[in-house]
Amino acid sequence: MGNANADRAAWSKADANSRLQWFQRLENHQAKLENRTPAKIALRPMSDNQRGSYSPETNTIYLNRDAVTFLDTPDQMITTLYHESRHAYQADVVKRPEAHPEVSAKDREAWAQNLRHYRKYTQERVDKISNRLLRERSKNMTPEQQRQYRKHVDNAIYRAYHDRNVIEIDARKQGDLMHKKWENQREDQLRIPPEKQARQKDASSREMGKTGLHSVSRSSTAKGHASPLASVG
């Protein structure tokens, strides 16, 4: 991942395209470790309660465009990236089992079954359930109460799916694991003497300038534009 503190500093000055390139580099590295073709990283508009998705048909990881553009740190999206990257790994295991002897036949079959039925839990399905519940239970609600109820229902549906779905449980563990590594790296960095931290930060910033994050110009930054997803967990 590089130097966690330097990555944060570079992130705060980077535009959306540079952040996208940085996530692509992380995915390329992870794919190499997992003996698979890297997924393409792309940005797309998503609802506030969704931060990413993976398309096995095109081997593409989609990240929430507003989250990548406006969040002040990469921490939340690190978890999302590695969660979706795990789905890319799962799909590759199912497609090329001979390339992944590290996965048992039992796990591979469970992943394959889940992937076959994944389409049942698209946003359209969530919307259908949410709309039905709204019709049944929100007749006396104000528009704002309806909006909050809809958000609550959407989150509950997603959580119910994730809590019982094998590939989601596995991907969530991977995302949490990589985020812990990210946080541990930050804590380790804080214990390094300040003068050594400065040298590491300079070296990391030079490397990221070559291949990853680049500063965004003042003219292309919307002054005072607060992140609409800053409170998303």
Side-chain angles (χ1 to χ4, degrees), residues 124-140:
E124 288 78 10
R125 179 176 174 82
V126 173
D127 286 343
K128 183 178 180 180
I129 297 173
S130 293
N131 289 336
R132 176 174 57 80
L133 290 174
L134 277 171
R135 287 194 302 271
E136 294 174 355
R137 305 181 186 182
S138 65
K139 294 180 181 179
N140 298 321

Side-chain angles (χ1 to χ4, degrees), residues 140-154:
N140 298 321
M141 292 183 183
T142 66
E144 176 59 21
Q145 288 174 330
Q146 289 182 8
R147 189 185 72 80
Q148 291 296 330
Y149 181 71
R150 173 61 178 268
K151 186 176 181 179
H152 169 74
V153 170
D154 283 359

Side-chain angles (χ1 to χ4, degrees), residues 21-152:
Q21 292 175 19
W22 183 67
F23 281 123
Q24 185 67 66
R25 287 171 49 228
L26 293 180
E27 162 59 11
N28 292 348
H29 177 69
Q30 188 66 19
K32 185 176 181 180
L33 295 177
E34 295 173 344
N35 189 30
R36 61 178 175 82
T37 301
K40 178 184 177 181
I41 309 297
L43 304 181
R44 67 164 37 167
M46 296 182 183
S47 60
D48 286 359
N49 66 343
Q50 185 181 17
R51 286 181 291 178
S53 64
Y54 172 68
S55 169
E57 291 83 5
T58 61
N59 192 30
T60 302
I61 291 173
Y62 294 102
L63 299 178
N64 186 310
R65 183 183 63 189
D66 285 346
V68 172
T69 302
F70 298 118
L71 285 179
D72 295 331
T73 73
D75 298 58
Q76 291 182 9
M77 298 309 293
I78 284 286
T79 305
T80 300
L81 173 72
Y82 284 107
H83 179 111
E84 302 305 337
S85 180
R86 187 66 172 184
H87 285 323
Y89 172 69
Q90 294 164 345
D92 198 64
V93 167
V94 171
K95 184 178 180 179
R96 301 188 309 130
E98 71 283 354
H100 300 283
E102 72 278 7
V103 179
S104 69
K106 180 180 179 181
D107 285 345
R108 185 172 65 249
E109 179 53 35
W111 290 357
Q113 183 176 358
N114 274 208
L115 286 168
R116 283 195 294 270
H117 297 291
Y118 196 82
R119 285 296 182 184
K120 291 183 179 180
Y121 298 92
T122 59
Q123 183 64 44
E124 288 78 10
R125 179 176 174 82
V126 173
D127 286 343
K128 183 178 180 180
I129 297 173
S130 293
N131 289 336
R132 176 174 57 80
L133 290 174
L134 277 171
R135 287 194 302 271
E136 294 174 355
R137 305 181 186 182
S138 65
K139 294 180 181 179
N140 298 321
M141 292 183 183
T142 66
E144 176 59 21
Q145 288 174 330
Q146 289 182 8
R147 189 185 72 80
Q148 291 296 330
Y149 181 71
R150 173 61 178 268
K151 186 176 181 179
H152 169 74

